[in-house]
Amino acid sequence: MCTDIYLNDKGETGRTGSTSSLQTPMASIHPLLPTLTTMWLAPATGLAVLAVGMLGLWLVQKRTRNAAIVDVGWTVGLGLLAVGYALTQDGLALRRLLVGGMIGVWSLRLASHLWFDRIRGHPEEGRYLRLRELWGERQESRLLLFFLGQAVLAVLLSLAFLPGLLNDEPLGALDLAALLL
């Protein structure tokens, strides 16, 4: 847990060594406060990265006329979020390695399957054709919102990874059960 973040006499946060004479460790205000303030930086950063990635994939689908590429983007994005969280959060290193590694490998496997078996060299899937038909002339603007919405959904789903990644307790039976699952 990060404990070098302080609240100074003006109510501002800072790090050890700031010029204020009155420094109250944020952890003394509430034990989870330092973790909560740093914990949300990773999903926020992840959302920004995924939004740029999805914008790029939307531009690709405009050229290829195959919106199914969003499925690969969502899958890779979820894996990148898990690996990014594992690298930046403060839980037990072995647990972070296991969680980030398992989700990262799952992501690569699924993205490869989707790319080679469903997208590359294949026509657009029926569900996306139906959306194009339903949305008519506004299909591109709505597809952009759909792609960006997938970035938001990936980040929301990825929040479920954080409790495990922040856990600094030694590995136990529950961890073994999750690993075997």
Side-chain angles (χ1 to χ4, degrees):
M1 192 178 291
C2 183
T3 57
D4 65 339
I5 299 174
Y6 289 87
L7 188 66
N8 69 18
D9 55 336
K10 297 175 187 171
E12 303 164 331
T13 58
R15 295 230 176 245
T16 305
S18 72
T19 58
S20 174
S21 60
L22 296 174
Q23 293 182 341
T24 304
M26 290 177 71
S28 68
I29 297 169
H30 190 282
L32 289 178
L33 196 53
T35 299
L36 290 175
T37 56
T38 58
M39 178 179 79
W40 294 107
L41 292 176
T45 302
L47 179 58
V49 169
L50 290 188
V52 169
M54 287 299 193
L55 176 61
L57 290 176
W58 175 76
L59 291 171
V60 168
Q61 76 76 35
K62 279 187 71 161
R63 185 176 44 83
T64 63
R65 302 289 297 165
N66 191 343
I69 198 163
V70 72
D71 298 335
V72 172
W74 181 86
T75 303
V76 169
L78 201 55
L80 288 175
L81 288 167
V83 170
Y85 297 167
L87 293 173
T88 61
Q89 298 305 306
D90 290 331
L92 183 70
L94 180 57
R95 183 177 288 109
R96 289 184 295 124
L97 175 71
L98 290 171
V99 171
M102 288 189 313
I103 296 169
V105 167
W106 165 83
S107 168
L108 288 176
R109 189 211 60 79
L110 181 55
S112 297
H113 166 72
L114 292 170
W115 176 253
F116 290 111
D117 294 346
R118 302 282 171 93
I119 298 168
R120 186 173 171 236
H122 295 275
E124 187 170 52
E125 289 184 26
R127 59 189 163 142
Y128 296 112
L129 290 171
R130 284 188 293 280
L131 285 176
R132 286 184 190 279
E133 183 181 321
L134 178 68
W135 291 339
E137 292 178 7
R138 297 172 59 180
Q139 64 182 269
E140 289 305 330
S141 62
R142 290 188 174 180
L143 279 170
L144 176 59
L145 291 176
F146 179 77
F147 274 59
L148 294 175
Q150 293 298 308
V152 172
L153 291 174
V155 170
L156 289 175
L157 183 58
S158 76
L159 296 178
F161 308 151
L162 287 172
L165 293 168
L166 292 169
N167 185 348
D168 58 1
E169 297 295 319
L171 294 179
L174 187 58
D175 296 294
L176 180 60
L179 184 61
L180 293 174
L181 182 69

